[in-house]
PDB file of all heavy atoms in Angstrom:
ATOM      1  N   LEU A   1       0.829  -1.202   0.001  1.00 43.00           N
ATOM      2  CA  LEU A   1      -0.001   0.000  -0.001  1.00 43.00           C
ATOM      3  C   LEU A   1       0.868   1.257   0.001  1.00 43.00           C
ATOM      4  O   LEU A   1       2.059   1.189   0.285  1.00 43.00           O
ATOM      5  CB  LEU A   1      -0.906  -0.006   1.228  1.00 43.00           C
ATOM      6  CG  LEU A   1      -1.973  -1.099   1.238  1.00 43.00           C
ATOM      7  CD1 LEU A   1      -2.741  -1.058   2.545  1.00 43.00           C
ATOM      8  CD2 LEU A   1      -2.931  -0.944   0.082  1.00 43.00           C
ATOM      9  N   PRO A   2       0.270   2.394  -0.280  1.00 44.00           N
ATOM     10  CA  PRO A   2       1.035   3.652  -0.267  1.00 44.00           C
ATOM     11  C   PRO A   2       1.685   3.899   1.088  1.00 44.00           C
ATOM     12  O   PRO A   2       1.298   3.342   2.107  1.00 44.00           O
ATOM     13  CB  PRO A   2      -0.035   4.711  -0.550  1.00 44.00           C
ATOM     14  CG  PRO A   2      -1.166   3.992  -1.169  1.00 44.00           C
ATOM     15  CD  PRO A   2      -1.127   2.585  -0.635  1.00 44.00           C
ATOM     16  N   LYS A   3       2.676   4.792   1.093  1.00 43.00           N
ATOM     17  CA  LYS A   3       3.428   5.112   2.311  1.00 43.00           C
ATOM     18  C   LYS A   3       2.535   5.586   3.450  1.00 43.00           C
ATOM     19  O   LYS A   3       2.871   5.433   4.605  1.00 43.00           O
ATOM     20  CB  LYS A   3       4.476   6.187   2.012  1.00 43.00           C
ATOM     21  CG  LYS A   3       5.619   5.694   1.192  1.00 43.00           C
ATOM     22  CD  LYS A   3       6.620   6.808   0.986  1.00 43.00           C
ATOM     23  CE  LYS A   3       7.791   6.341   0.160  1.00 43.00           C
ATOM     24  NZ  LYS A   3       8.770   7.403  -0.034  1.00 43.00           N
ATOM     25  N   TYR A   4       1.382   6.141   3.128  1.00 38.00           N
ATOM     26  CA  TYR A   4       0.460   6.652   4.150  1.00 38.00           C
ATOM     27  C   TYR A   4       0.159   5.593   5.202  1.00 38.00           C
ATOM     28  O   TYR A   4       0.113   5.862   6.390  1.00 38.00           O
ATOM     29  CB  TYR A   4      -0.835   7.100   3.478  1.00 38.00           C
ATOM     30  CG  TYR A   4      -1.901   7.565   4.431  1.00 38.00           C
ATOM     31  CD1 TYR A   4      -1.922   8.875   4.882  1.00 38.00           C
ATOM     32  CD2 TYR A   4      -2.885   6.693   4.883  1.00 38.00           C
ATOM     33  CE1 TYR A   4      -2.896   9.313   5.760  1.00 38.00           C
ATOM     34  CE2 TYR A   4      -3.863   7.127   5.761  1.00 38.00           C
ATOM     35  CZ  TYR A   4      -3.863   8.427   6.197  1.00 38.00           C
ATOM     36  OH  TYR A   4      -4.813   8.847   7.062  1.00 38.00           O
ATOM     37  N   PHE A   5      -0.059   4.358   4.781  1.00 39.00           N
ATOM     38  CA  PHE A   5      -0.464   3.298   5.698  1.00 39.00           C
ATOM     39  C   PHE A   5       0.681   2.716   6.504  1.00 39.00           C
ATOM     40  O   PHE A   5       0.452   2.062   7.513  1.00 39.00           O
ATOM     41  CB  PHE A   5      -1.185   2.187   4.929  1.00 39.00           C
ATOM     42  CG  PHE A   5      -2.495   2.642   4.372  1.00 39.00           C
ATOM     43  CD1 PHE A   5      -2.613   2.957   3.026  1.00 39.00           C
ATOM     44  CD2 PHE A   5      -3.594   2.785   5.193  1.00 39.00           C
ATOM     45  CE1 PHE A   5      -3.825   3.396   2.516  1.00 39.00           C
ATOM     46  CE2 PHE A   5      -4.812   3.230   4.687  1.00 39.00           C
ATOM     47  CZ  PHE A   5      -4.921   3.540   3.339  1.00 39.00           C
ATOM     48  N   SER A   6       1.909   2.928   6.077  1.00 38.00           N
ATOM     49  CA  SER A   6       3.044   2.379   6.827  1.00 38.00           C
ATOM     50  C   SER A   6       3.809   3.469   7.578  1.00 38.00           C
ATOM     51  O   SER A   6       4.875   3.221   8.091  1.00 38.00           O
ATOM     52  CB  SER A   6       3.989   1.643   5.875  1.00 38.00           C
ATOM     53  OG  SER A   6       4.486   2.514   4.892  1.00 38.00           O
ATOM     54  N   SER A   7       3.227   4.644   7.661  1.00 43.00           N
ATOM     55  CA  SER A   7       3.862   5.756   8.362  1.00 43.00           C
ATOM     56  C   SER A   7       3.832   5.534   9.867  1.00 43.00           C
ATOM     57  O   SER A   7       3.005   4.792  10.385  1.00 43.00           O
ATOM     58  CB  SER A   7       3.132   7.064   8.054  1.00 43.00           C
ATOM     59  OG  SER A   7       3.169   7.333   6.677  1.00 43.00           O
ATOM     60  N   GLU A   8       4.717   6.224  10.554  1.00 57.00           N
ATOM     61  CA  GLU A   8       4.712   6.215  12.017  1.00 57.00           C
ATOM     62  C   GLU A   8       3.727   7.287  12.482  1.00 57.00           C
ATOM     63  O   GLU A   8       3.839   8.447  12.107  1.00 57.00           O
ATOM     64  CB  GLU A   8       6.118   6.522  12.548  1.00 57.00           C
ATOM     65  CG  GLU A   8       6.202   6.635  14.042  1.00 57.00           C
ATOM     66  CD  GLU A   8       5.894   5.357  14.788  1.00 57.00           C
ATOM     67  OE1 GLU A   8       5.930   4.273  14.192  1.00 57.00           O
ATOM     68  OE2 GLU A   8       5.606   5.443  15.986  1.00 57.00           O
ATOM     69  N   TRP A   9       2.755   6.886  13.300  1.00 65.00           N
ATOM     70  CA  TRP A   9       1.746   7.810  13.804  1.00 65.00           C
ATOM     71  C   TRP A   9       2.161   8.309  15.178  1.00 65.00           C
ATOM     72  O   TRP A   9       2.937   7.669  15.883  1.00 65.00           O
ATOM     73  CB  TRP A   9       0.383   7.127  13.845  1.00 65.00           C
ATOM     74  CG  TRP A   9      -0.090   6.831  12.466  1.00 65.00           C
ATOM     75  CD1 TRP A   9       0.220   5.730  11.720  1.00 65.00           C
ATOM     76  CD2 TRP A   9      -0.877   7.660  11.631  1.00 65.00           C
ATOM     77  NE1 TRP A   9      -0.356   5.824  10.480  1.00 65.00           N
ATOM     78  CE2 TRP A   9      -1.040   6.994  10.399  1.00 65.00           C
ATOM     79  CE3 TRP A   9      -1.484   8.900  11.806  1.00 65.00           C
ATOM     80  CZ2 TRP A   9      -1.774   7.539   9.351  1.00 65.00           C
ATOM     81  CZ3 TRP A   9      -2.216   9.431  10.766  1.00 65.00           C
ATOM     82  CH2 TRP A   9      -2.352   8.753   9.550  1.00 65.00           C
ATOM     83  N   SER A  10       1.635   9.442  15.576  1.00 83.00           N
ATOM     84  CA  SER A  10       2.067  10.056  16.830  1.00 83.00           C
ATOM     85  C   SER A  10       1.676   9.226  18.047  1.00 83.00           C
ATOM     86  O   SER A  10       0.646   8.571  18.070  1.00 83.00           O
ATOM     87  CB  SER A  10       1.515  11.476  16.952  1.00 83.00           C
ATOM     88  OG  SER A  10       0.124  11.490  17.047  1.00 83.00           O
ATOM     89  N   VAL A  11       2.533   9.297  19.053  1.00 91.00           N
ATOM     90  CA  VAL A  11       2.326   8.613  20.326  1.00 91.00           C
ATOM     91  C   VAL A  11       1.384   9.426  21.204  1.00 91.00           C
ATOM     92  O   VAL A  11       0.572   8.876  21.937  1.00 91.00           O
ATOM     93  CB  VAL A  11       3.688   8.420  21.042  1.00 91.00           C
ATOM     94  CG1 VAL A  11       3.509   7.920  22.459  1.00 91.00           C
ATOM     95  CG2 VAL A  11       4.578   7.488  20.251  1.00 91.00           C
ATOM     96  N   ALA A  12       1.497  10.748  21.134  1.00 94.00           N
ATOM     97  CA  ALA A  12       0.688  11.627  21.973  1.00 94.00           C
ATOM     98  C   ALA A  12       0.352  12.906  21.221  1.00 94.00           C
ATOM     99  O   ALA A  12       1.087  13.317  20.327  1.00 94.00           O
ATOM    100  CB  ALA A  12       1.447  11.955  23.259  1.00 94.00           C
ATOM    101  N   GLN A  13      -0.776  13.504  21.614  1.00 94.00           N
ATOM    102  CA  GLN A  13      -1.238  14.729  20.977  1.00 94.00           C
ATOM    103  C   GLN A  13      -1.724  15.714  22.038  1.00 94.00           C
ATOM    104  O   GLN A  13      -2.162  15.314  23.109  1.00 94.00           O
ATOM    105  CB  GLN A  13      -2.416  14.472  20.016  1.00 94.00           C
ATOM    106  CG  GLN A  13      -2.227  13.342  19.037  1.00 94.00           C
ATOM    107  CD  GLN A  13      -2.510  11.985  19.643  1.00 94.00           C
ATOM    108  OE1 GLN A  13      -3.403  11.829  20.449  1.00 94.00           O
ATOM    109  NE2 GLN A  13      -1.721  10.995  19.268  1.00 94.00           N
ATOM    110  N   PHE A  14      -1.660  16.998  21.683  1.00 95.00           N
ATOM    111  CA  PHE A  14      -2.232  18.046  22.523  1.00 95.00           C
ATOM    112  C   PHE A  14      -2.849  19.068  21.587  1.00 95.00           C
ATOM    113  O   PHE A  14      -2.214  19.510  20.626  1.00 95.00           O
ATOM    114  CB  PHE A  14      -1.162  18.694  23.400  1.00 95.00           C
ATOM    115  CG  PHE A  14      -1.713  19.660  24.404  1.00 95.00           C
ATOM    116  CD1 PHE A  14      -2.458  19.217  25.483  1.00 95.00           C
ATOM    117  CD2 PHE A  14      -1.491  21.027  24.268  1.00 95.00           C
ATOM    118  CE1 PHE A  14      -2.977  20.112  26.407  1.00 95.00           C
ATOM    119  CE2 PHE A  14      -2.001  21.926  25.191  1.00 95.00           C
ATOM    120  CZ  PHE A  14      -2.744  21.468  26.268  1.00 95.00           C
ATOM    121  N   ARG A  15      -4.095  19.441  21.840  1.00 94.00           N
ATOM    122  CA  ARG A  15      -4.814  20.371  20.974  1.00 94.00           C
ATOM    123  C   ARG A  15      -4.794  21.783  21.557  1.00 94.00           C
ATOM    124  O   ARG A  15      -5.057  21.979  22.737  1.00 94.00           O
ATOM    125  CB  ARG A  15      -6.240  19.887  20.790  1.00 94.00           C
ATOM    126  CG  ARG A  15      -6.242  18.501  20.180  1.00 94.00           C
ATOM    127  CD  ARG A  15      -7.540  17.985  19.731  1.00 94.00           C
ATOM    128  NE  ARG A  15      -7.573  16.580  19.421  1.00 94.00           N
ATOM    129  CZ  ARG A  15      -6.769  15.888  18.650  1.00 94.00           C
ATOM    130  NH1 ARG A  15      -5.766  16.475  18.078  1.00 94.00           N
ATOM    131  NH2 ARG A  15      -6.919  14.617  18.427  1.00 94.00           N
ATOM    132  N   LEU A  16      -4.493  22.730  20.683  1.00 93.00           N
ATOM    133  CA  LEU A  16      -4.388  24.144  21.061  1.00 93.00           C
ATOM    134  C   LEU A  16      -5.330  24.960  20.194  1.00 93.00           C
ATOM    135  O   LEU A  16      -5.762  24.502  19.130  1.00 93.00           O
ATOM    136  CB  LEU A  16      -2.953  24.627  20.834  1.00 93.00           C
ATOM    137  CG  LEU A  16      -1.891  23.953  21.693  1.00 93.00           C
ATOM    138  CD1 LEU A  16      -0.521  24.115  21.074  1.00 93.00           C
ATOM    139  CD2 LEU A  16      -1.922  24.541  23.081  1.00 93.00           C
ATOM    140  N   PRO A  17      -5.637  26.185  20.625  1.00 84.00           N
ATOM    141  CA  PRO A  17      -6.447  27.055  19.766  1.00 84.00           C
ATOM    142  C   PRO A  17      -5.722  27.323  18.443  1.00 84.00           C
ATOM    143  O   PRO A  17      -4.531  27.621  18.429  1.00 84.00           O
ATOM    144  CB  PRO A  17      -6.577  28.339  20.577  1.00 84.00           C
ATOM    145  CG  PRO A  17      -6.271  27.954  21.982  1.00 84.00           C
ATOM    146  CD  PRO A  17      -5.319  26.807  21.904  1.00 84.00           C
ATOM    147  N   GLU A  18      -6.440  27.179  17.342  1.00 78.00           N
ATOM    148  CA  GLU A  18      -5.848  27.474  16.032  1.00 78.00           C
ATOM    149  C   GLU A  18      -5.697  28.981  15.882  1.00 78.00           C
ATOM    150  O   GLU A  18      -6.346  29.754  16.558  1.00 78.00           O
ATOM    151  CB  GLU A  18      -6.735  26.925  14.902  1.00 78.00           C
ATOM    152  CG  GLU A  18      -6.631  25.429  14.738  1.00 78.00           C
ATOM    153  CD  GLU A  18      -7.326  24.946  13.479  1.00 78.00           C
ATOM    154  OE1 GLU A  18      -7.001  25.454  12.383  1.00 78.00           O
ATOM    155  OE2 GLU A  18      -8.184  24.072  13.606  1.00 78.00           O
ATOM    156  N   GLY A  19      -4.816  29.383  14.983  1.00 80.00           N
ATOM    157  CA  GLY A  19      -4.649  30.794  14.687  1.00 80.00           C
ATOM    158  C   GLY A  19      -3.379  31.394  15.254  1.00 80.00           C
ATOM    159  O   GLY A  19      -3.061  32.526  14.958  1.00 80.00           O
ATOM    160  N   SER A  20      -2.671  30.653  16.092  1.00 87.00           N
ATOM    161  CA  SER A  20      -1.409  31.148  16.630  1.00 87.00           C
ATOM    162  C   SER A  20      -0.322  30.132  16.315  1.00 87.00           C
ATOM    163  O   SER A  20      -0.591  28.940  16.174  1.00 87.00           O
ATOM    164  CB  SER A  20      -1.509  31.349  18.144  1.00 87.00           C
ATOM    165  OG  SER A  20      -0.310  31.928  18.628  1.00 87.00           O
ATOM    166  N   GLN A  21       0.888  30.605  16.184  1.00 93.00           N
ATOM    167  CA  GLN A  21       2.017  29.702  15.979  1.00 93.00           C
ATOM    168  C   GLN A  21       2.582  29.316  17.342  1.00 93.00           C
ATOM    169  O   GLN A  21       2.612  30.133  18.263  1.00 93.00           O
ATOM    170  CB  GLN A  21       3.093  30.368  15.132  1.00 93.00           C
ATOM    171  CG  GLN A  21       2.646  30.623  13.712  1.00 93.00           C
ATOM    172  CD  GLN A  21       3.778  31.203  12.868  1.00 93.00           C
ATOM    173  OE1 GLN A  21       4.910  31.300  13.296  1.00 93.00           O
ATOM    174  NE2 GLN A  21       3.439  31.596  11.656  1.00 93.00           N
ATOM    175  N   TYR A  22       3.043  28.068  17.446  1.00 95.00           N
ATOM    176  CA  TYR A  22       3.572  27.552  18.701  1.00 95.00           C
ATOM    177  C   TYR A  22       4.964  26.972  18.490  1.00 95.00           C
ATOM    178  O   TYR A  22       5.223  26.313  17.486  1.00 95.00           O
ATOM    179  CB  TYR A  22       2.650  26.470  19.273  1.00 95.00           C
ATOM    180  CG  TYR A  22       1.275  26.994  19.601  1.00 95.00           C
ATOM    181  CD1 TYR A  22       0.237  26.909  18.672  1.00 95.00           C
ATOM    182  CD2 TYR A  22       1.013  27.590  20.823  1.00 95.00           C
ATOM    183  CE1 TYR A  22      -1.023  27.391  18.962  1.00 95.00           C
ATOM    184  CE2 TYR A  22      -0.247  28.083  21.129  1.00 95.00           C
ATOM    185  CZ  TYR A  22      -1.261  27.980  20.188  1.00 95.00           C
ATOM    186  OH  TYR A  22      -2.508  28.472  20.480  1.00 95.00           O
ATOM    187  N   ILE A  23       5.830  27.216  19.456  1.00 96.00           N
ATOM    188  CA  ILE A  23       7.179  26.656  19.472  1.00 96.00           C
ATOM    189  C   ILE A  23       7.199  25.589  20.558  1.00 96.00           C
ATOM    190  O   ILE A  23       6.673  25.799  21.654  1.00 96.00           O
ATOM    191  CB  ILE A  23       8.232  27.752  19.757  1.00 96.00           C
ATOM    192  CG1 ILE A  23       8.185  28.791  18.644  1.00 96.00           C
ATOM    193  CG2 ILE A  23       9.615  27.144  19.909  1.00 96.00           C
ATOM    194  CD1 ILE A  23       9.008  30.024  18.928  1.00 96.00           C
ATOM    195  N   VAL A  24       7.805  24.429  20.255  1.00 97.00           N
ATOM    196  CA  VAL A  24       7.803  23.311  21.199  1.00 97.00           C
ATOM    197  C   VAL A  24       9.214  22.931  21.613  1.00 97.00           C
ATOM    198  O   VAL A  24      10.174  23.142  20.872  1.00 97.00           O
ATOM    199  CB  VAL A  24       7.092  22.083  20.594  1.00 97.00           C
ATOM    200  CG1 VAL A  24       5.612  22.342  20.425  1.00 97.00           C
ATOM    201  CG2 VAL A  24       7.711  21.690  19.261  1.00 97.00           C
ATOM    202  N   ALA A  25       9.313  22.373  22.814  1.00 97.00           N
ATOM    203  CA  ALA A  25      10.581  21.868  23.341  1.00 97.00           C
ATOM    204  C   ALA A  25      10.259  20.806  24.383  1.00 97.00           C
ATOM    205  O   ALA A  25       9.132  20.730  24.879  1.00 97.00           O
ATOM    206  CB  ALA A  25      11.402  22.991  23.969  1.00 97.00           C
ATOM    207  N   PHE A  26      11.261  20.007  24.729  1.00 97.00           N
ATOM    208  CA  PHE A  26      11.088  19.027  25.794  1.00 97.00           C
ATOM    209  C   PHE A  26      11.448  19.680  27.115  1.00 97.00           C
ATOM    210  O   PHE A  26      12.394  20.454  27.205  1.00 97.00           O
ATOM    211  CB  PHE A  26      11.950  17.787  25.536  1.00 97.00           C
ATOM    212  CG  PHE A  26      11.362  16.905  24.480  1.00 97.00           C
ATOM    213  CD1 PHE A  26      11.691  17.077  23.157  1.00 97.00           C
ATOM    214  CD2 PHE A  26      10.433  15.924  24.822  1.00 97.00           C
ATOM    215  CE1 PHE A  26      11.128  16.289  22.165  1.00 97.00           C
ATOM    216  CE2 PHE A  26       9.856  15.138  23.846  1.00 97.00           C
ATOM    217  CZ  PHE A  26      10.200  15.313  22.521  1.00 97.00           C
ATOM    218  N   GLY A  27      10.663  19.368  28.151  1.00 96.00           N
ATOM    219  CA  GLY A  27      10.893  19.918  29.478  1.00 96.00           C
ATOM    220  C   GLY A  27      11.972  19.143  30.218  1.00 96.00           C
ATOM    221  O   GLY A  27      12.492  18.138  29.728  1.00 96.00           O
ATOM    222  N   HIS A  28      12.296  19.596  31.421  1.00 94.00           N
ATOM    223  CA  HIS A  28      13.308  18.945  32.242  1.00 94.00           C
ATOM    224  C   HIS A  28      12.807  17.636  32.836  1.00 94.00           C
ATOM    225  O   HIS A  28      13.565  16.695  32.996  1.00 94.00           O
ATOM    226  CB  HIS A  28      13.784  19.873  33.365  1.00 94.00           C
ATOM    227  CG  HIS A  28      14.554  21.060  32.856  1.00 94.00           C
ATOM    228  ND1 HIS A  28      15.814  20.938  32.327  1.00 94.00           N
ATOM    229  CD2 HIS A  28      14.222  22.366  32.778  1.00 94.00           C
ATOM    230  CE1 HIS A  28      16.237  22.131  31.947  1.00 94.00           C
ATOM    231  NE2 HIS A  28      15.294  23.019  32.214  1.00 94.00           N
ATOM    232  N   GLN A  29      11.527  17.573  33.187  1.00 95.00           N
ATOM    233  CA  GLN A  29      10.970  16.344  33.729  1.00 95.00           C
ATOM    234  C   GLN A  29      10.703  15.351  32.598  1.00 95.00           C
ATOM    235  O   GLN A  29      10.429  15.746  31.466  1.00 95.00           O
ATOM    236  CB  GLN A  29       9.658  16.601  34.493  1.00 95.00           C
ATOM    237  CG  GLN A  29       9.822  17.401  35.762  1.00 95.00           C
ATOM    238  CD  GLN A  29       9.894  18.900  35.494  1.00 95.00           C
ATOM    239  OE1 GLN A  29       9.498  19.368  34.440  1.00 95.00           O
ATOM    240  NE2 GLN A  29      10.420  19.645  36.449  1.00 95.00           N
ATOM    241  N   LYS A  30      10.771  14.081  32.933  1.00 94.00           N
ATOM    242  CA  LYS A  30      10.591  13.022  31.941  1.00 94.00           C
ATOM    243  C   LYS A  30       9.211  13.125  31.281  1.00 94.00           C
ATOM    244  O   LYS A  30       8.212  13.359  31.961  1.00 94.00           O
ATOM    245  CB  LYS A  30      10.742  11.657  32.610  1.00 94.00           C
ATOM    246  CG  LYS A  30      10.693  10.510  31.639  1.00 94.00           C
ATOM    247  CD  LYS A  30      10.975   9.197  32.324  1.00 94.00           C
ATOM    248  CE  LYS A  30      10.972   8.086  31.287  1.00 94.00           C
ATOM    249  NZ  LYS A  30      11.369   6.810  31.849  1.00 94.00           N
ATOM    250  N   ASN A  31       9.199  12.987  29.956  1.00 96.00           N
ATOM    251  CA  ASN A  31       7.975  12.972  29.147  1.00 96.00           C
ATOM    252  C   ASN A  31       7.149  14.255  29.281  1.00 96.00           C
ATOM    253  O   ASN A  31       5.929  14.215  29.253  1.00 96.00           O
ATOM    254  CB  ASN A  31       7.113  11.751  29.472  1.00 96.00           C
ATOM    255  CG  ASN A  31       7.841  10.450  29.221  1.00 96.00           C
ATOM    256  OD1 ASN A  31       8.764  10.376  28.422  1.00 96.00           O
ATOM    257  ND2 ASN A  31       7.442   9.403  29.913  1.00 96.00           N
ATOM    258  N   THR A  32       7.828  15.391  29.429  1.00 97.00           N
ATOM    259  CA  THR A  32       7.113  16.665  29.459  1.00 97.00           C
ATOM    260  C   THR A  32       7.479  17.501  28.240  1.00 97.00           C
ATOM    261  O   THR A  32       8.592  17.427  27.723  1.00 97.00           O
ATOM    262  CB  THR A  32       7.392  17.475  30.743  1.00 97.00           C
ATOM    263  OG1 THR A  32       8.791  17.735  30.837  1.00 97.00           O
ATOM    264  CG2 THR A  32       6.888  16.767  31.974  1.00 97.00           C
ATOM    265  N   ILE A  33       6.512  18.286  27.815  1.00 97.00           N
ATOM    266  CA  ILE A  33       6.645  19.164  26.652  1.00 97.00           C
ATOM    267  C   ILE A  33       6.351  20.583  27.106  1.00 97.00           C
ATOM    268  O   ILE A  33       5.412  20.814  27.872  1.00 97.00           O
ATOM    269  CB  ILE A  33       5.625  18.781  25.551  1.00 97.00           C
ATOM    270  CG1 ILE A  33       5.751  17.316  25.157  1.00 97.00           C
ATOM    271  CG2 ILE A  33       5.758  19.688  24.335  1.00 97.00           C
ATOM    272  CD1 ILE A  33       7.056  16.938  24.558  1.00 97.00           C
ATOM    273  N   VAL A  34       7.126  21.544  26.629  1.00 97.00           N
ATOM    274  CA  VAL A  34       6.892  22.960  26.880  1.00 97.00           C
ATOM    275  C   VAL A  34       6.466  23.574  25.556  1.00 97.00           C
ATOM    276  O   VAL A  34       7.090  23.346  24.517  1.00 97.00           O
ATOM    277  CB  VAL A  34       8.170  23.642  27.412  1.00 97.00           C
ATOM    278  CG1 VAL A  34       7.957  25.129  27.578  1.00 97.00           C
ATOM    279  CG2 VAL A  34       8.595  23.003  28.725  1.00 97.00           C
ATOM    280  N   ILE A  35       5.399  24.354  25.595  1.00 97.00           N
ATOM    281  CA  ILE A  35       4.836  24.965  24.391  1.00 97.00           C
ATOM    282  C   ILE A  35       4.732  26.470  24.616  1.00 97.00           C
ATOM    283  O   ILE A  35       4.135  26.911  25.593  1.00 97.00           O
ATOM    284  CB  ILE A  35       3.439  24.392  24.087  1.00 97.00           C
ATOM    285  CG1 ILE A  35       3.483  22.866  24.008  1.00 97.00           C
ATOM    286  CG2 ILE A  35       2.874  25.009  22.810  1.00 97.00           C
ATOM    287  CD1 ILE A  35       2.121  22.202  24.144  1.00 97.00           C
ATOM    288  N   LEU A  36       5.309  27.243  23.710  1.00 96.00           N
ATOM    289  CA  LEU A  36       5.230  28.707  23.770  1.00 96.00           C
ATOM    290  C   LEU A  36       4.484  29.209  22.546  1.00 96.00           C
ATOM    291  O   LEU A  36       4.861  28.908  21.416  1.00 96.00           O
ATOM    292  CB  LEU A  36       6.631  29.320  23.793  1.00 96.00           C
ATOM    293  CG  LEU A  36       7.519  28.912  24.966  1.00 96.00           C
ATOM    294  CD1 LEU A  36       8.934  29.436  24.759  1.00 96.00           C
ATOM    295  CD2 LEU A  36       6.939  29.424  26.263  1.00 96.00           C
ATOM    296  N   GLY A  37       3.426  29.980  22.778  1.00 94.00           N
ATOM    297  CA  GLY A  37       2.626  30.515  21.680  1.00 94.00           C
ATOM    298  C   GLY A  37       2.973  31.952  21.375  1.00 94.00           C
ATOM    299  O   GLY A  37       3.338  32.720  22.263  1.00 94.00           O
ATOM    300  N   MET A  38       2.858  32.315  20.115  1.00 92.00           N
ATOM    301  CA  MET A  38       3.099  33.698  19.714  1.00 92.00           C
ATOM    302  C   MET A  38       2.040  34.637  20.297  1.00 92.00           C
ATOM    303  O   MET A  38       2.213  35.842  20.286  1.00 92.00           O
ATOM    304  CB  MET A  38       3.111  33.824  18.183  1.00 92.00           C
ATOM    305  CG  MET A  38       4.200  33.014  17.538  1.00 92.00           C
ATOM    306  SD  MET A  38       5.803  33.524  18.137  1.00 92.00           S
ATOM    307  CE  MET A  38       6.867  32.705  16.989  1.00 92.00           C
ATOM    308  N   ASP A  39       0.968  34.072  20.837  1.00 91.00           N
ATOM    309  CA  ASP A  39      -0.077  34.862  21.476  1.00 91.00           C
ATOM    310  C   ASP A  39       0.210  35.105  22.957  1.00 91.00           C
ATOM    311  O   ASP A  39      -0.629  35.605  23.693  1.00 91.00           O
ATOM    312  CB  ASP A  39      -1.432  34.169  21.316  1.00 91.00           C
ATOM    313  CG  ASP A  39      -1.462  32.778  21.947  1.00 91.00           C
ATOM    314  OD1 ASP A  39      -0.429  32.303  22.454  1.00 91.00           O
ATOM    315  OD2 ASP A  39      -2.541  32.160  21.920  1.00 91.00           O
ATOM    316  N   GLY A  40       1.414  34.722  23.435  1.00 93.00           N
ATOM    317  CA  GLY A  40       1.800  34.918  24.822  1.00 93.00           C
ATOM    318  C   GLY A  40       1.531  33.719  25.714  1.00 93.00           C
ATOM    319  O   GLY A  40       1.808  33.756  26.910  1.00 93.00           O
ATOM    320  N   SER A  41       0.999  32.651  25.152  1.00 93.00           N
ATOM    321  CA  SER A  41       0.645  31.480  25.963  1.00 93.00           C
ATOM    322  C   SER A  41       1.851  30.595  26.256  1.00 93.00           C
ATOM    323  O   SER A  41       2.793  30.508  25.473  1.00 93.00           O
ATOM    324  CB  SER A  41      -0.440  30.665  25.270  1.00 93.00           C
ATOM    325  OG  SER A  41       0.010  30.217  24.002  1.00 93.00           O
TER     326      SER A  41
END
């Protein structure tokens, strides 16, 4: 089948308000994510 079906899918997701750009990084604690939004979030 096409590559679509053999792709690696995400392990985890987080939904944010659309309309702003977000920068992501890993936090100091295990399995944590830090998200900074251009809207100040």
Side-chain angles (χ1 to χ4, degrees):
L1 293 176
K3 288 182 180 181
Y4 176 85
F5 293 102
S6 60
S7 300
E8 176 65 18
W9 293 85
S10 65
V11 171
Q13 311 81 37
F14 187 70
R15 301 190 193 309
L16 296 160
E18 284 190 55
S20 185
Q21 293 184 7
Y22 298 93
I23 298 171
V24 292
F26 284 90
H28 292 289
Q29 293 82 18
K30 185 175 182 174
N31 301 335
T32 59
I33 305 297
V34 176
I35 306 162
L36 300 172
M38 298 301 192
D39 60 356
S41 60

